[in-house]
Amino acid sequence: MKSNNNNSTKRKKIRKWIIPMAIVLIISFIFITNINVSYWLRSKCYTDTNSIPARRVALLLGTSRLGRHGGKNPYFEYRIEAASKLFHSGKIRKILISGDNSRKGYNEPMDMRNALLEKGVPDSCIVLDYAGFRTYDSMVRAKKVFGHDSLIVVSQHWHNERALYIAHHIGIEAVAFDAKDWSGFTSLRLQVREWLARTKMAIDLLFQRDPHFLGEKIEI
């Protein structure tokens, strides 16, 4: 009986430490992943069209045209501005827009295409990827579906770092052009979400997961 009581006490002590240890491991993994991403890729992000190396194609990562409360989304506006700036400076010849089109009435690639047309980018220079449901999918599809192993990624800096990290691990030689960021509460919220997204990205890369959809190859 005494032996059983001792075993029960030991199990209780083990269970008592499992949750705190698991929390510490998870937080450590999130922290290390984010620091690693930012450290290794900071030299591959550019803000000046004169200094960024030219590529045939830019991958413009999608986002919603409207903000949470129905107004203009500054991240959308700034990404369009950055992509059109790259094109008109002669640094790229094609723009691959990869975004979410998973529900009726919501079409990130088409909204971005229309905005680029207003900026003077010819329709013949724009290609749409409707299955870029997340950044990981956009990067893998850029390589496996659209056949690109060298490109310029266009988004905000914090987003570009994650995209470049994925590119590095799947064999894409990529640099990034940082669109203007937006400061405020929403930016803080997105930064926190970005830390969690990078953790999910590390797991996807570890298990070499495929995107939701691949399909036949498309030449640009």
Side-chain angles (χ1 to χ4, degrees):
M1 182 67 69
K2 185 175 180 181
S3 177
N4 289 336
N5 289 336
N6 289 337
N7 290 336
S8 177
T9 301
K10 288 180 180 179
R11 285 195 294 269
K12 287 180 180 179
K13 288 182 178 179
I14 292 173
R15 285 197 296 267
K16 179 181 178 182
W17 285 103
I18 284 178
I19 294 179
M21 287 178 65
I23 292 174
V24 170
L25 288 173
I26 291 171
I27 293 175
S28 298
F29 181 72
I30 293 173
F31 181 78
I32 292 172
T33 298
N34 279 271
I35 294 300
N36 191 38
V37 170
S38 297
Y39 178 79
W40 286 107
L41 299 168
R42 56 188 174 182
S43 63
K44 289 183 175 291
C45 295
Y46 296 81
T47 57
D48 181 15
T49 55
N50 292 321
S51 60
I52 191 170
R55 295 284 191 274
R56 181 171 176 267
V57 175
L59 174 61
L60 175 58
L61 297 175
T63 188
S64 174
R65 178 173 60 88
L66 301 177
R68 297 178 67 192
H69 303 294
K72 289 184 178 181
N73 178 6
Y75 294 104
F76 178 97
E77 301 292 332
Y78 294 149
R79 291 185 200 182
I80 294 299
E81 181 182 313
S84 61
K85 188 176 180 180
L86 272 178
F87 180 83
H88 291 302
S89 66
K91 290 294 184 174
I92 55 173
R93 287 187 285 164
K94 297 280 186 177
I95 300 176
L96 171 60
I97 306 173
S98 184
D100 188 353
N101 181 34
S102 60
R103 61 186 186 273
K104 187 176 181 180
Y106 186 80
N107 195 328
E108 290 177 356
M110 187 60 70
D111 286 342
M112 287 189 143
R113 167 192 170 271
N114 293 336
L116 285 173
L117 292 178
E118 292 179 0
K119 292 285 188 178
V121 178
D123 197 22
S124 60
C125 296
I126 301 173
V127 179
L128 304 182
D129 174 16
Y130 296 104
F133 303 123
R134 53 190 183 135
T135 307
Y136 182 83
D137 289 17
S138 295
M139 300 307 298
V140 174
R141 284 177 56 81
K143 181 178 177 65
K144 292 188 175 182
V145 175
F146 294 93
H148 289 288
D149 53 15
S150 178
L151 47 77
I152 298 175
V153 182
V154 181
S155 188
Q156 274 70 34
H157 178 77
W158 43 268
H159 193 192
N160 278 339
E161 287 185 333
R162 173 159 49 102
L164 289 178
Y165 192 82
I166 297 170
H168 173 74
H169 283 82
I170 64 173
I172 298 178
E173 183 186 348
V175 293
F177 191 62
D178 291 343
K180 184 179 177 182
D181 211 335
W182 183 66
S183 59
F185 175 76
T186 304
S187 178
L188 177 61
R189 178 181 61 84
L190 287 177
Q191 291 284 4
V192 172
R193 192 176 74 176
E194 178 63 21
W195 273 59
L196 298 178
R198 291 182 181 189
T199 305
K200 176 65 166 58
M201 168 208 68
I203 296 172
D204 289 334
L205 289 171
L206 179 64
F207 292 100
Q208 298 182 351
R209 291 174 176 167
D210 282 329
H212 288 86
F213 296 103
L214 276 176
E216 298 180 1
K217 290 189 175 182
I218 301 171
E219 290 188 9
I220 298 181

